[in-house]
Amino acid sequence: MPVSRRTFLSGCVALPLSAQTSGFSVAEQSVGNGTLTTISDGHLTLPGSFVFDPMPRDELLPLLEKTGISEKTLTPECNVSLYQDGQNTVLFDVGSGPDFQSSAGKLPDGLELAGIAPEDVTHVVFTHAHPDHIWGLLDEFDDPLFYDATYMIGRAEWDYWWNPETVNTIGEARAAMAVGAKRRLEAIEDTVEFFDGDQEILSGIQAVATPGHTPGHMSFEVRGGSDAAMIIGDAITNHHVAFMKPEWLSGSDQDAQTAASTRTALFDRIVADNLKIAGFHLPGGGVGHVERNSEGYRFVPENS
């Protein structure tokens, strides 16, 4: 008897989470009494110049060769963080949806395999409003996909993308980002909740201002007792040069100097507080920890 996709997915609900979503680069860690999971939205394909252009080439190339990273093309994972504590089911970002890159926009499939329906999501919290983080907000009818969720975003981030002048000042290469962000934010205008840095936005979840990648970028410390993890969004965008040379300017950041300062301070905090991390573009599902070494820092995936 032929097995339909829906029949297959229904059968997956009984499987352990890691088995259900093995094709979706899932990583999972406990945080206190809750669980922090990442579910893949796919991956991006980017020219290396998008990140590497501002960096000193003579120092960059040996680092890339050592880590096996291509100078020409990058294919970073996109890992959406999901935190469940028995009361709330919180998504941090919503992926890129179908309108950005064909290799991304896979989050709905991953959630379905994990047995999580759109109505199960109680909160959607945004790190920032770049396409791979917010363009998955809308369904095929241009309504919010997670229709029962409370939407939350940092006040500074909202103000930046809502400003009609942003599309004129962000630069031609990023203008489509501004248009796309504004269209999606308009869909939640009447219901969105705002927060500021250092504010506890939900029980056990504190916003951490990490500007630079975008003007109002936020990370989030999720804590349960003495156990804690930092959801870093794009404050640390890759596992190679961002870790080895966090002070270097990156072309992926809108304010590269501020982002470098933010990145350096964030690494200090993560290591000093022995925090787990969940990174949107880090490999192996993006969950792991940071080790300091003679070259700077090293990302150690939970799945390694």
Side-chain angles (χ1 to χ4, degrees):
M1 179 181 295
V3 178
S4 70
R5 179 174 179 274
R6 181 160 295 279
T7 301
F8 170 74
L9 294 175
S10 298
C12 285
V13 173
L15 298 175
L17 182 61
S18 58
Q20 293 174 40
T21 52
S22 58
F24 290 88
S25 299
V26 163
E28 182 176 306
Q29 277 195 0
S30 61
V31 180
N33 294 323
T35 302
L36 176 61
T37 307
T38 56
I39 297 180
S40 177
D41 191 51
H43 72 273
L44 303 181
T45 300
L46 303 171
S49 58
F50 180 69
V51 174
F52 300 140
D53 263 4
M55 299 177 182
R57 184 176 172 80
D58 59 333
E59 296 180 61
L60 171 67
L61 293 183
L63 294 182
L64 296 182
E65 183 177 358
K66 182 175 182 178
T67 55
I69 301 298
S70 168
E71 176 193 5
K72 298 185 180 300
T73 304
L74 298 172
T75 55
E77 294 182 13
C78 297
N79 300 302
V80 176
S81 291
L82 173 73
Y83 182 65
Q84 298 169 285
D85 63 3
Q87 179 177 357
N88 294 319
T89 297
V90 186
L91 268 183
F92 294 87
D93 298 329
V94 291
S96 62
D99 299 328
F100 187 48
Q101 291 193 6
S102 60
S103 59
K106 315 301 183 185
L107 177 64
D109 290 333
L111 289 173
E112 189 172 9
L113 282 170
I116 297 171
E119 62 267 26
D120 296 332
V121 176
T122 61
H123 298 81
V124 171
V125 181
F126 294 109
T127 62
H128 65 298
H130 276 168
D132 49 331
H133 295 257
I134 199 171
W135 280 21
L137 174 65
L138 303 178
D139 63 16
E140 63 269 30
F141 302 105
D142 279 352
D143 294 320
L145 176 62
F146 303 101
Y147 47 86
D148 282 342
T150 298
Y151 287 88
M152 308 178 76
I153 190 170
R155 193 180 309 273
E157 187 73 2
W158 176 280
D159 288 347
Y160 176 73
W161 297 104
W162 197 257
N163 187 338
E165 286 304 308
T166 294
V167 70
N168 301 318
T169 57
I170 197 174
E172 184 178 354
R174 297 177 188 259
M177 294 185 181
V179 174
K182 181 71 178 298
R183 183 167 83 84
R184 287 155 180 86
L185 294 178
E186 286 173 345
I188 57 173
E189 177 185 7
D190 295 332
T191 58
V192 68
E193 295 184 6
F194 301 113
F195 56 84
D196 299 307
D198 296 324
Q199 179 179 335
E200 186 176 54
I201 62 170
L202 293 166
S203 178
I205 301 176
Q206 182 183 29
V208 179
T210 48
H213 185 71
T214 61
H217 187 284
M218 289 281 181
S219 299
F220 302 91
E221 183 176 304
V222 179
R223 180 170 293 277
S226 60
D227 202 14
M230 184 73 75
I231 296 169
I232 59 176
D234 280 3
I236 302 170
T237 54
N238 61 70
H239 68 291
H240 36 86
V241 291
F243 276 72
M244 292 185 289
K245 297 292 183 180
E247 73 278 9
W248 280 5
L249 305 188
S250 171
S252 65
D253 297 322
Q254 289 183 217
D255 182 342
Q257 191 64 63
T258 298
S261 298
T262 290
R263 195 160 44 245
T264 301
L266 188 58
F267 272 122
D268 286 344
R269 176 171 177 168
I270 289 167
V271 171
D273 293 348
N274 194 28
L275 300 174
K276 304 167 186 175
I277 64 170
F280 195 87
H281 292 303
L282 300 184
V287 173
H289 65 274
V290 177
E291 290 182 352
R292 195 192 298 269
N293 59 26
S294 60
E295 296 177 333
Y297 301 93
R298 183 171 78 96
F299 175 60
V300 181
E302 178 69 11
N303 289 343
S304 64

